[in-house]
Amino acid sequence: MSDVARLLISCPDRPGIVAAVSQFLFEHSANIIHSDQHSSEQGQGAFFMRIEFALSGLDPSEFRPEFAVIAQRFGMDWRLTETARPHRLAIFVSRQDHALVELLWQRAAGDLQAEIALVISNHTNNERLVAEAGIPFFHVPMSPTLKPAAEARELDLLSEYQVDTVVLARYMQVLSSEFLARFPAAIINIHHSFLPAFVGANPYEAAYTRGVKLIGATAHYVSEELDAGPIIEQDVHRVDHRHGPADLRRMGRYIERVVLARAVTWHVEDRVLLHGNKTIVFS
Amino acid sequence: MSDVARLLISCPDRPGIVAAVSQFLFEHSANIIHSDQHSSEQGQGAFFMRIEFALSGLDPSEFRPEFAVIAQRFGMDWRLTETARPHRLAIFVSRQDHALVELLWQRAAGDLQAEIALVISNHTNNERLVAEAGIPFFHVPMSPTLKPAAEARELDLLSEYQVDTVVLARYMQVLSSEFLARFPAAIINIHHSFLPAFVGANPYEAAYTRGVKLIGATAHYVSEELDAGPIIEQDVHRVDHRHGPADLRRMGRYIERVVLARAVTWHVEDRVLLHGNKTIVFS
Amino acid sequence: MSDVARLLISCPDRPGIVAAVSQFLFEHSANIIHSDQHSSEQGQGAFFMRIEFALSGLDPSEFRPEFAVIAQRFGMDWRLTETARPHRLAIFVSRQDHALVELLWQRAAGDLQAEIALVISNHTNNERLVAEAGIPFFHVPMSPTLKPAAEARELDLLSEYQVDTVVLARYMQVLSSEFLARFPAAIINIHHSFLPAFVGANPYEAAYTRGVKLIGATAHYVSEELDAGPIIEQDVHRVDHRHGPADLRRMGRYIERVVLARAVTWHVEDRVLLHGNKTIVFS
Amino acid sequence: MSDVARLLISCPDRPGIVAAVSQFLFEHSANIIHSDQHSSEQGQGAFFMRIEFALSGLDPSEFRPEFAVIAQRFGMDWRLTETARPHRLAIFVSRQDHALVELLWQRAAGDLQAEIALVISNHTNNERLVAEAGIPFFHVPMSPTLKPAAEARELDLLSEYQVDTVVLARYMQVLSSEFLARFPAAIINIHHSFLPAFVGANPYEAAYTRGVKLIGATAHYVSEELDAGPIIEQDVHRVDHRHGPADLRRMGRYIERVVLARAVTWHVEDRVLLHGNKTIVFS
């Protein structure tokens, strides 16, 4: 399947887009495998499309300039990705390992179509686990005073390892605006609550105190405002009066793992498109 | 929104279908509101498409012969429906009213885009309820000896009321092959189990005896073989050791109502396409 | 089953409670049908118990003074309810009917073990529906200036009809502190969001704007602070980028109905105990 | 928490059981942490109880003969377990590792209150993973001719490692009647379907062919009849027409892992009691 490509399109909706794109692909002998599209506001707003197709000998370097003509006509924001070049991830973790373990296992099982290029942590306890998986591990200690230098070091590593996307797998550190600016729409965080409920620290304790009957987790792109970026995926699990904060944390780990893994999988398969502060997910 | 139409297409997959259809619609000034498509076997099998578009002055009686040319080229099984003409339902019920009540309420709330043309029952207990909703009610008694005449009577009523689809809302009677032949892919049944588990009578008792931890309901098109037709929708609800057969029936009524209502809604909005004994649901 | 009673107990946890209560019931020939208990903080905090038992000739008027001796020894907050006297509900509604319809149907189906004593609304559109169910309907118009007199009228009606519990089935009005004080822990509201997310007005619009992937509903006891009372039940439903605010409202109606019906059912069956601002639900 | 014990009781229901048991525990200064009970058939059938209590200096070797007196009076089937002695598991696997990885991780995270005494496999591919976790791994090849000797070898290992419970984490082999007889109600299997649907081999292919809208997994005790033993836990995940058999297997792995982990956790915490071919789960 190395000759598969994906075309991602966002543009103002107007008649003729699908006709133009599909005609273009047909004329270039590109055989469509999957195609998803979405028109907001019943065809009156924005238009989004994801097409997965066999390149069938089509050369992406020829495709791009030719398609740019159509793209310009419709004012498209677009990109073409090739599955032959795997998406490269960096995973940032703190002490907790559950989200990391899940991603490592998904990668090993072949369910996550990406390379885990490196793991960065402000602790060392997960070093052996990562080493056993044959993945470079870097310990970058973090504190308010260390932060500028630590982030600079992290950015160097991300550059050196040609990372496309950063996954905060319970990293528990707030990234600076400068850091975020380097990876727009390419930093995914797992927050251990059903956002927008329980923004910030200790959401399980807050959930326990409020007496909710379902706990949740949210995977979202990181933006300047804490826990307010575009949501990619959420899920919940039922709890009741028998469950204390420790139970919520334990049960919550399941949801966090699954929700983050789903979000990362969709992201690396180019299934997530941005629409303002919201996402279109062609899952 | 009376000038909205839906084009439903099934055909062998091959390059150029989307280009041809979308070009046709573009040339006829039909503005696409929603479009869904599915290729089985990664573009090597069958192709399915549902397009909802504004007619924008386009006359369906002109559309049909012109589109037939494209349809023939690709070997399409297709149809065009107009939302201006509401889908007409007949609901068949036995004594239990929960699925009937749900459909009546959905209709009244405007969530079910269909006319309930008439209700037929082999009992009389639901007559008042139906009458109060302003819907014709017919009592057609049923027994092995009465069955041929009863079904003939039912078919006459369905014809008289120009019914498109029959909904068996816990009708509890097996329809004859002759009856089924008159409404291919247009009889929807709700079975009170998670099919294919617990086919046939008394599924809640069977579920209780087996000790399952989830009970379910299945909405499906009725085919010759009992409870074996194409599944449209299923859902489940958690149960445990505290629940006896009566509890399962009570809790199951919730699932039956919701599952049937979802299936009927999708069906009347032309969101369900058949693929052998399976369904494509563009929900 | 008219001779069934329920004993509800809350007290500080300490050894011997269960032994004393169960010995008392055994000596009074009360046959236990169901028993649930909960110790917070692993037996170091508060203790909660619900016992459903056959009275077997036991006279509640004799039971009470005798049990009071035990209750005093353990500092119990307790009550004995008899299922022979059905719980009496008042339903308050505004224009929307879905939560009302659900409760009426549950009552008719025998799933809700309570009398719906009356329905009060600040609109008249649901009058016919309620009348057809044979339930008294009262139109009590509401506005800032009318409010004191309207609430006085409502309280008179609740008193006249001997109402135990008020159900706000999408009533959309904030009750005064004076009103609330008259029905402590006996006013149940359905809020159309997954609390504490989207407190206040227009939660579906807020959920749409935030781009959540699940919408929810919450049934809770009404307290002074808006949408902050003890949560009885919550549930969610998956949504995606295709759903606009109207879709969320439509899909949300399903969840609201089910969540409210479950909460009211548990409440009238004495399955809900209060623990500070949280609930113990012996479902 | 090393001085915590659990008392498990099953007996015919009759008045006085709870009084006798709770009085016994009170007199022995045993402080109850959690207590669950269940009466089948509204107090007319069988009675089940699980009490978790602090031993508070109470010596189990004294407890047992004294409690036996009460047990005999009520015809109890009972046992007392001490959490100070961890439950010992053997995990049997074939080539697939997902269920094994989950149990290893749950153990490492402290969520599974048991020792994984050894892992047995008819393949060698998981040897390194198990060794890295510091757990003995044994390769016991399996074929029809090897089976008698292989099972004898397995039973020797189970005996040598003092195994309480065998977990078939996708072992894919049918155990002989002789083997089963050695571990009554102590062999847990994960079946990759929502039983009783899709008994036997290749359930995901069968689910795909039938066109179900939800796939599931079932953890159950192994009995003589294939996939027919008492169900401990089940769960499901939504699928649709876009998912082929490979997708169902991939999505199913999630459910299998979670369902098996929940069932094993409940089993080792003595939360599962047998009632004929069904389970009481005090989760």
Side-chain angles (χ1 to χ4, degrees):
Chain A
M1 293 267 294
S2 63
D3 62 343
V4 168
R6 299 176 193 129
L7 180 61
L8 289 307
I9 296 169
S10 305
C11 64
D13 202 1
R14 66 175 170 101
I17 302 172
V18 177
V21 173
S22 54
Q23 186 63 29
F24 178 90
L25 289 173
F26 177 58
E27 287 168 0
H28 287 75
S29 303
N31 198 15
I32 297 174
I33 298 168
H34 290 297
S35 175
D36 291 285
Q37 64 195 76
H38 172 64
S39 298
S40 69
E41 296 163 52
Q42 304 214 316
Q44 305 298 308
F47 176 84
F48 304 88
M49 192 169 202
R50 175 191 186 273
I51 302 178
E52 192 167 314
F53 59 97
L55 281 168
S56 315
L58 184 64
D59 184 339
S61 66
E62 290 178 23
F63 180 100
R64 286 192 176 90
E66 294 183 31
F67 187 76
V69 179
I70 290 176
Q72 186 163 17
R73 184 169 11 130
F74 290 96
M76 290 176 180
D77 187 9
W78 69 285
R79 69 179 195 276
L80 183 80
T81 65
E82 297 161 66
T83 58
R85 185 209 169 274
H87 204 98
R88 294 177 64 78
L89 300 175
I91 302 179
F92 283 33
V93 283
S94 187
R95 290 194 62 81
Q96 293 210 53
D97 69 351
H98 56 283
L100 170 65
V101 167
E102 183 69 25
L103 293 170
L104 292 177
W105 177 78
Q106 294 254 348
R107 176 71 193 103
D111 290 349
L112 178 59
Q113 305 293 330
E115 288 304 317
I116 299 176
L118 76 165
V119 173
I120 291 176
S121 179
N122 55 335
H123 291 88
T124 55
N125 63 304
N126 289 312
E127 179 158 16
R128 188 178 151 232
L129 172 72
V130 174
E132 284 173 357
I135 295 170
F137 176 93
F138 296 93
H139 176 223
V140 181
M142 186 60 73
S143 75
T145 45
L146 291 174
K147 189 165 178 174
E151 287 201 341
R153 167 80 170 126
E154 288 169 348
L155 286 168
D156 282 349
L157 286 167
L158 298 180
S159 174
E160 178 186 343
Y161 282 86
Q162 301 174 56
V163 164
D164 298 302
T165 298
V166 175
V167 179
L168 307 182
R170 294 299 299 272
Y171 181 52
M172 318 303 283
Q173 300 290 327
V174 176
L175 303 178
S176 70
S177 302
E178 293 70 34
F179 192 107
L180 296 182
R182 291 279 294 273
F183 283 84
I187 304 177
I188 298 173
N189 183 47
I190 180 71
H191 183 73
H192 39 312
S193 84
F194 183 85
L195 290 175
F198 310 123
V199 164
N202 296 324
Y204 290 129
E205 281 71 12
Y208 174 75
T209 301
R210 181 64 187 91
V212 293
K213 299 300 184 184
L214 297 167
I215 55 168
T218 304
H220 64 96
Y221 289 117
V222 177
S223 63
E224 287 277 334
E225 190 184 341
L226 185 67
D227 299 331
I231 293 171
I232 306 170
E233 173 64 341
Q234 304 187 285
D235 215 336
V236 294
H237 196 269
R238 192 160 280 274
V239 295
D240 64 37
H241 57 267
R242 296 171 299 184
H243 302 118
D247 298 305
L248 301 195
R249 275 190 295 272
R250 174 176 53 80
M251 299 164 85
R253 284 196 286 261
Y254 269 104
I255 323 172
E256 295 169 36
R257 288 157 57 194
V258 169
V259 166
L260 179 62
R262 282 206 288 253
V264 174
T265 298
W266 292 334
H267 174 84
V268 302
E269 294 178 359
D270 297 312
R271 297 179 181 280
V272 189
L273 284 80
L274 276 180
H275 185 201
N277 197 46
K278 300 164 69 170
T279 61
I280 314 292
V281 181
F282 292 127
S283 64
Chain B
M1 294 268 293
S2 63
D3 61 344
V4 169
R6 297 175 195 131
L7 180 61
L8 290 306
I9 297 170
S10 305
C11 64
D13 200 2
R14 66 175 169 100
I17 302 172
V18 177
V21 173
S22 56
Q23 186 62 29
F24 178 90
L25 290 172
F26 178 57
E27 286 168 0
H28 287 75
S29 302
N31 198 14
I32 297 174
I33 298 167
H34 290 297
S35 176
D36 291 286
Q37 63 194 77
H38 173 64
S39 297
S40 71
E41 295 163 52
Q42 304 216 316
Q44 305 298 309
F47 177 84
F48 303 89
M49 194 169 199
R50 175 191 187 273
I51 302 177
E52 191 166 314
F53 59 97
L55 281 168
S56 315
L58 184 63
D59 185 340
S61 65
E62 290 177 25
F63 179 100
R64 286 192 176 88
E66 294 183 31
F67 188 75
V69 178
I70 289 176
Q72 187 162 15
R73 183 168 13 130
F74 290 95
M76 290 175 181
D77 187 9
W78 70 284
R79 69 181 196 275
L80 183 81
T81 65
E82 297 162 65
T83 58
R85 184 207 170 275
H87 203 98
R88 294 177 64 79
L89 300 175
I91 301 179
F92 281 34
V93 282
S94 186
R95 290 193 62 80
Q96 293 211 54
D97 69 351
H98 57 281
L100 170 65
V101 167
E102 182 70 27
L103 293 170
L104 292 176
W105 177 77
Q106 294 255 347
R107 176 70 193 105
D111 290 349
L112 178 60
Q113 306 292 331
E115 288 305 318
I116 299 176
L118 77 164
V119 173
I120 291 176
S121 179
N122 55 334
H123 291 89
T124 55
N125 63 306
N126 289 312
E127 178 158 16
R128 188 178 152 232
L129 172 73
V130 174
E132 283 173 357
I135 295 170
F137 176 94
F138 296 93
H139 176 221
V140 182
M142 186 60 72
S143 74
T145 45
L146 290 173
K147 189 164 178 174
E151 285 201 342
R153 167 80 170 127
E154 288 168 348
L155 285 168
D156 282 349
L157 286 167
L158 298 181
S159 173
E160 179 186 344
Y161 282 86
Q162 302 174 56
V163 165
D164 299 302
T165 298
V166 174
V167 179
L168 307 182
R170 295 296 301 270
Y171 181 50
M172 316 305 282
Q173 300 290 328
V174 176
L175 303 177
S176 71
S177 301
E178 294 70 34
F179 193 106
L180 296 182
R182 291 280 294 273
F183 283 84
I187 305 177
I188 297 172
N189 182 48
I190 181 72
H191 182 73
H192 38 314
S193 84
F194 183 85
L195 288 175
F198 310 124
V199 164
N202 297 323
Y204 289 129
E205 280 72 11
Y208 174 74
T209 301
R210 181 63 186 91
V212 294
K213 299 299 184 184
L214 297 166
I215 56 168
T218 305
H220 63 96
Y221 289 117
V222 177
S223 63
E224 288 277 334
E225 189 183 342
L226 184 67
D227 299 331
I231 294 170
I232 306 171
E233 173 65 340
Q234 305 188 283
D235 216 336
V236 294
H237 196 270
R238 192 161 280 274
V239 296
D240 65 37
H241 58 267
R242 296 171 298 183
H243 303 117
D247 298 305
L248 301 194
R249 276 190 294 274
R250 174 177 54 79
M251 298 163 87
R253 283 197 286 261
Y254 269 103
I255 323 172
E256 295 168 35
R257 289 156 57 193
V258 169
V259 166
L260 179 63
R262 281 206 288 253
V264 173
T265 298
W266 292 335
H267 174 85
V268 302
E269 294 178 0
D270 298 312
R271 297 180 182 279
V272 189
L273 283 79
L274 275 181
H275 185 201
N277 197 46
K278 299 164 69 171
T279 60
I280 313 292
V281 181
F282 292 127
S283 64
Chain C
M1 294 270 293
S2 63
D3 62 343
V4 168
R6 297 175 195 131
L7 180 61
L8 289 308
I9 297 170
S10 305
C11 64
D13 201 1
R14 67 176 168 101
I17 302 172
V18 178
V21 173
S22 54
Q23 186 64 27
F24 179 91
L25 289 172
F26 178 57
E27 286 168 0
H28 288 74
S29 303
N31 199 14
I32 297 174
I33 297 168
H34 290 298
S35 176
D36 291 286
Q37 63 195 75
H38 172 64
S39 297
S40 70
E41 295 164 54
Q42 304 216 315
Q44 305 298 308
F47 176 84
F48 304 89
M49 194 169 200
R50 175 191 187 272
I51 302 178
E52 192 166 313
F53 60 96
L55 282 168
S56 316
L58 183 65
D59 184 340
S61 66
E62 290 177 24
F63 178 102
R64 287 191 176 91
E66 293 183 30
F67 187 77
V69 178
I70 289 175
Q72 187 163 17
R73 184 170 10 130
F74 291 96
M76 289 175 180
D77 187 8
W78 70 284
R79 69 180 195 276
L80 182 81
T81 65
E82 297 162 65
T83 58
R85 183 207 171 275
H87 203 99
R88 293 178 64 79
L89 300 175
I91 300 178
F92 282 33
V93 283
S94 186
R95 291 193 60 82
Q96 293 210 54
D97 69 351
H98 56 283
L100 170 65
V101 166
E102 182 71 25
L103 292 170
L104 292 177
W105 177 78
Q106 294 254 348
R107 177 70 194 104
D111 290 349
L112 177 60
Q113 305 293 330
E115 287 305 317
I116 299 176
L118 77 164
V119 173
I120 292 176
S121 180
N122 55 334
H123 291 89
T124 56
N125 62 306
N126 289 311
E127 179 158 16
R128 188 177 152 234
L129 172 72
V130 174
E132 284 173 355
I135 295 170
F137 176 94
F138 297 92
H139 176 221
V140 181
M142 186 60 72
S143 74
T145 45
L146 290 173
K147 188 164 179 175
E151 285 201 343
R153 166 80 170 126
E154 288 169 347
L155 286 168
D156 282 349
L157 285 166
L158 298 181
S159 174
E160 179 186 343
Y161 282 87
Q162 302 173 55
V163 164
D164 299 302
T165 298
V166 174
V167 179
L168 307 182
R170 296 295 301 268
Y171 181 51
M172 317 303 282
Q173 300 290 326
V174 175
L175 303 178
S176 71
S177 301
E178 295 70 33
F179 193 105
L180 296 182
R182 291 279 294 273
F183 283 84
I187 305 177
I188 297 173
N189 182 48
I190 180 71
H191 182 72
H192 39 313
S193 84
F194 183 86
L195 289 175
F198 310 123
V199 164
N202 297 323
Y204 290 129
E205 281 71 11
Y208 174 74
T209 300
R210 180 62 186 92
V212 294
K213 301 299 183 184
L214 298 165
I215 56 168
T218 304
H220 63 95
Y221 289 117
V222 177
S223 62
E224 286 277 334
E225 190 183 339
L226 185 67
D227 299 330
I231 293 170
I232 305 170
E233 173 64 342
Q234 304 187 285
D235 216 336
V236 294
H237 196 271
R238 191 160 281 274
V239 297
D240 64 38
H241 57 267
R242 296 170 299 184
H243 303 116
D247 298 305
L248 301 195
R249 275 190 294 274
R250 174 177 52 80
M251 299 164 85
R253 285 196 285 262
Y254 268 105
I255 324 173
E256 295 169 34
R257 289 156 57 192
V258 169
V259 166
L260 180 61
R262 281 208 288 254
V264 173
T265 298
W266 292 334
H267 174 84
V268 302
E269 294 178 0
D270 298 312
R271 297 179 182 279
V272 189
L273 284 80
L274 275 180
H275 186 201
N277 197 46
K278 299 164 71 171
T279 60
I280 313 292
V281 181
F282 292 126
S283 64
Chain D
M1 295 270 292
S2 62
D3 63 343
V4 169
R6 297 175 194 131
L7 179 62
L8 290 307
I9 297 169
S10 304
C11 64
D13 201 2
R14 67 176 167 101
I17 302 172
V18 177
V21 172
S22 56
Q23 186 64 27
F24 178 91
L25 289 172
F26 178 57
E27 286 168 359
H28 288 75
S29 303
N31 198 15
I32 297 174
I33 297 168
H34 290 297
S35 175
D36 291 286
Q37 64 195 74
H38 172 64
S39 298
S40 70
E41 295 163 53
Q42 304 214 317
Q44 306 298 308
F47 176 84
F48 303 89
M49 193 169 201
R50 176 192 185 273
I51 302 178
E52 191 167 313
F53 60 97
L55 282 168
S56 314
L58 184 64
D59 184 340
S61 65
E62 290 177 25
F63 179 101
R64 287 192 175 90
E66 294 183 31
F67 188 76
V69 178
I70 288 175
Q72 188 163 16
R73 183 166 17 125
F74 291 96
M76 289 175 180
D77 187 9
W78 70 285
R79 70 179 196 275
L80 182 81
T81 65
E82 297 161 66
T83 57
R85 184 205 171 276
H87 203 98
R88 294 177 64 79
L89 299 174
I91 301 179
F92 282 33
V93 282
S94 187
R95 289 194 62 82
Q96 293 210 53
D97 69 351
H98 56 282
L100 170 65
V101 166
E102 183 70 25
L103 293 170
L104 292 177
W105 177 78
Q106 295 253 348
R107 177 69 193 106
D111 290 349
L112 178 59
Q113 306 293 330
E115 288 304 316
I116 299 177
L118 77 165
V119 173
I120 292 175
S121 179
N122 55 334
H123 291 88
T124 55
N125 63 305
N126 289 312
E127 179 159 15
R128 188 178 151 232
L129 172 73
V130 174
E132 284 173 356
I135 295 170
F137 176 93
F138 296 92
H139 176 223
V140 181
M142 186 59 73
S143 75
T145 44
L146 290 173
K147 188 164 179 176
E151 287 200 342
R153 166 82 171 126
E154 288 169 347
L155 286 169
D156 282 348
L157 286 166
L158 299 181
S159 174
E160 179 186 343
Y161 282 86
Q162 301 174 56
V163 165
D164 299 303
T165 298
V166 174
V167 179
L168 307 182
R170 294 297 301 270
Y171 181 50
M172 317 302 283
Q173 301 290 328
V174 176
L175 303 179
S176 70
S177 301
E178 293 72 33
F179 192 106
L180 298 182
R182 291 278 294 274
F183 283 84
I187 304 178
I188 297 173
N189 182 48
I190 180 71
H191 183 73
H192 39 312
S193 84
F194 184 85
L195 290 175
F198 310 124
V199 164
N202 297 323
Y204 290 129
E205 281 70 11
Y208 174 75
T209 301
R210 181 62 187 93
V212 293
K213 300 299 184 184
L214 297 167
I215 55 168
T218 304
H220 63 96
Y221 289 117
V222 177
S223 63
E224 287 276 334
E225 191 183 340
L226 185 67
D227 298 331
I231 293 171
I232 306 170
E233 173 65 341
Q234 303 188 286
D235 216 336
V236 294
H237 196 269
R238 191 160 282 275
V239 296
D240 65 36
H241 57 267
R242 295 171 299 182
H243 303 116
D247 297 305
L248 301 195
R249 274 190 295 273
R250 174 176 54 80
M251 299 164 86
R253 284 196 286 262
Y254 269 103
I255 324 172
E256 295 169 35
R257 287 157 57 192
V258 169
V259 166
L260 179 62
R262 282 206 287 254
V264 174
T265 298
W266 292 334
H267 174 83
V268 302
E269 295 178 359
D270 298 311
R271 296 179 181 281
V272 189
L273 284 79
L274 276 180
H275 186 200
N277 197 46
K278 299 164 69 170
T279 60
I280 312 294
V281 181
F282 292 127
S283 64

